[in-house]
Amino acid sequence: MNDTSTTIRYATRPSVLGTLLVAASGKGLVALMFSDDADAMTLEFLHRFPGAMPAGRDSAFVAIVDKVAAFVENPRSGLDEPLDVRGTDFQKRVWNALLTIAPGETASYLDIARQIGSPGSVRAVAQACGANPLSVVIPCHRVVRSDGGISGYHWGVEKKRELLRREGVA
């Protein structure tokens, strides 16, 4: 018997930030990735989620992908899709803290480390942000350096800057 709650399906489509990859299980979204190199991104995704299958032309899945693409275009619009978050306990603590950063606001890596009760783990917080499979939905792009500067982003600093611009952050 096939357990559809653990089966991961994915689809790609063009977006304002390059090719968008959306993946979901029966429980919710597991990944939202974007890149100018669709092949490399898909390989990275399949390495992280082996056994994931293309969704094909499933109209319900296409509707979810379209909804996610609209959210990427306008992150202030919100997204009401359920999530199936997969990571270590530490990563999940960091990602839950990121969910408290409102659109148009930012926090530093140190702020997040303090919020999760681990002020000495700034580098580990940055690594958890880099490992976040649900870009934009779990808003790692809202995390900046302590001086307010924009630093590394898994998908490139220019994409981070563009997401912040779309949210009204100067």
Side-chain angles (χ1 to χ4, degrees):
M1 180 155 61
N2 189 11
D3 180 0
T4 59
S5 67
T6 59
T7 299
I8 297 174
R9 299 183 328 140
Y10 70 96
T12 60
R13 67 159 277 180
S15 81
V16 297
L17 295 174
T19 300
L20 173 70
L21 183 147
V22 177
S25 70
K27 295 178 183 177
L29 296 175
V30 296
L32 188 166
M33 305 164 77
F34 44 86
S35 178
D36 294 328
D37 185 341
D39 292 337
M41 175 184 61
T42 302
L43 286 174
E44 178 183 341
F45 166 75
L46 291 171
H47 179 74
R48 184 164 184 172
F49 298 97
M53 303 178 333
R57 296 179 182 250
D58 176 328
S59 61
F61 199 86
V62 169
I64 292 169
V65 173
D66 289 344
K67 186 189 281 189
V68 171
F71 170 69
V72 168
E73 190 165 322
N74 180 13
R76 287 184 168 272
S77 66
L79 185 68
D80 62 357
E81 290 295 317
L83 305 180
D84 182 1
V85 180
R86 299 173 184 208
T88 67
D89 289 341
F90 182 82
Q91 288 171 331
K92 289 178 183 179
R93 285 178 33 222
V94 170
W95 299 338
N96 281 329
L98 300 181
L99 290 169
T100 68
I101 308 170
E105 296 184 10
T106 60
S108 72
Y109 295 98
L110 179 58
D111 293 335
I112 299 302
R114 288 179 176 150
Q115 184 176 340
I116 65 169
S118 189
S121 62
V122 173
R123 283 194 175 159
V125 165
Q127 289 172 338
C129 289
N132 172 16
L134 284 159
S135 301
V136 188
V137 177
I138 297 176
C140 53
H141 64 280
R142 295 180 189 148
V143 183
V144 296
R145 294 189 319 229
S146 292
D147 67 3
I150 294 176
S151 59
Y153 186 56
H154 186 85
W155 308 110
V157 172
E158 287 307 313
K159 289 188 183 346
K160 182 173 187 171
R161 189 171 282 121
E162 176 61 17
L163 283 166
L164 291 171
R165 185 194 68 75
R166 288 178 175 279
E167 293 184 6
V169 177

